[in-house]
């Protein structure tokens, strides 16, 4: 374990909380008011059972950051409540519970390379690629004369995820989506 100040904790870090449990950081935001003490609010998920908590610390408070090994694995398939990943060199298979992935599981596609954080030989967190390419399965029709400047319309991707897209995007268009917040980034270049 390494000691790190709260202001340096980032999304994807694994920290040991005061209760002795390991937590995966989902979101970390620092707030620096004009007067008063700067704070960092950290949203994290307990690795053992998936319970989320939100804690606020002074930016100088010290937290125990766990040493984790980051290894690239290939996603294979879903097996009940688990997702199966395979190491590309050793062909070792790792079962990851659905609670560890949360809403990110909708973005998984066969043969997708994801980064697993390994602590004491067990997977404790999964990091998806920052962007994925998906096809629009359902959306409202294009309205002639409508500009792409400020308005967005709802669309459903082929993986079932709902995303807001510009009005010129139609069914069958391949788009790039940010997996962190589920937002439209651009049309796919392929």
């Amino acid at each position: 374990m390494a000691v790190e100040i709260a202001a340096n904790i980032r999304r994807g870090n694994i920290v040991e909380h005061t209760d002795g449990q390991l937590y995966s950081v989902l979101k970390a935001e620092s707030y620096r008011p004009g007067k008063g003490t700067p704070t960092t609010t950290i949203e994290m998920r307990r690795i053992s059972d998936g319970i989320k908590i939100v804690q606020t610390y002074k930016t100088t408070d010290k937290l125990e950051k766990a040493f984790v090994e980051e290894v690239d694995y290939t996603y294979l398939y879903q097996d009940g409540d688990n997702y199966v990943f395979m190491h590309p060199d050793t062909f070792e298979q790792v079962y990851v519970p659905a609670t560890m992935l949360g809403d990110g599981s909708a973005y998984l596609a066969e043969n997708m390379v994801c980064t697993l954080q390994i602590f004491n030989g067990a997977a404790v967190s999964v990091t998806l690629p920052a962007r994925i390419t998906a096809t629009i399965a359902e959306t409202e029709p294009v309205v002639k004369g409508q500009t792409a400047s400020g308005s967005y319309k709802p669309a459903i991707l082929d993986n079932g995820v709902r995303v807001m897209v510009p009005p010129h995007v139609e069914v069958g268009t391949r788009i790039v989506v940010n997996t962190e917040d589920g937002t439209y980034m651009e049309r796919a270049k392929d």
Side-chain angles (χ1 to χ4, degrees), residues 3 9 12 15 17 32 41 47 63 71 77 87 104 108 119-120 130-131 134 143 149 157-158 176:
V3 176
I9 299 296
V15 295
H17 198 268
R32 301 180 197 293
T41 301
I47 291 171
L63 295 167
V71 183
Y77 58 91
H87 191 281
L108 284 176
F119 181 76
N120 289 342
R131 324 157 49 129
V143 178
S149 61
L157 303 176
D158 56 357
V176 176

Side-chain angles (χ1 to χ4, degrees), residues 9-24:
I9 299 296
R10 300 283 176 255
R11 182 179 194 271
N13 288 158
I14 308 295
V15 295
E16 184 178 343
H17 198 268
T18 54
D19 62 2
Q21 298 276 339
L22 290 178
Y23 288 80
S24 174

Side-chain angles (χ1 to χ4, degrees), residues 136-148:
I136 301 288
E138 192 179 311
T139 190
E140 298 169 1
V142 177
V143 178
K144 191 173 174 114
Q146 193 173 22
T147 62

Side-chain angles (χ1 to χ4, degrees), residues 46-119:
R46 188 169 25 209
I47 291 171
S48 60
D49 56 11
I51 292 177
K52 283 185 186 177
I53 65 167
V54 178
Q55 291 282 161
T56 302
Y57 301 93
K58 292 179 189 170
T59 54
T60 56
D61 285 351
K62 296 186 182 338
L63 295 167
E64 293 283 333
K65 188 173 162 187
F67 284 115
V68 293
E69 182 183 2
E70 293 194 348
V71 183
D72 287 341
Y73 277 78
T74 304
Y75 170 68
L76 296 178
Y77 58 91
Q78 183 176 0
D79 182 20
D81 287 341
N82 294 315
Y83 293 92
V84 182
F85 292 85
M86 179 183 70
H87 191 281
D89 299 330
T90 64
F91 304 109
E92 165 198 11
Q93 292 187 1
V94 175
Y95 287 79
V96 174
T99 56
M100 192 181 296
L101 281 160
D103 298 337
S105 62
Y107 295 113
L108 284 176
E110 209 171 287
N111 297 323
M112 177 184 281
V113 176
C114 300
T115 304
L116 271 61
Q117 287 79 24
I118 310 293
F119 181 76

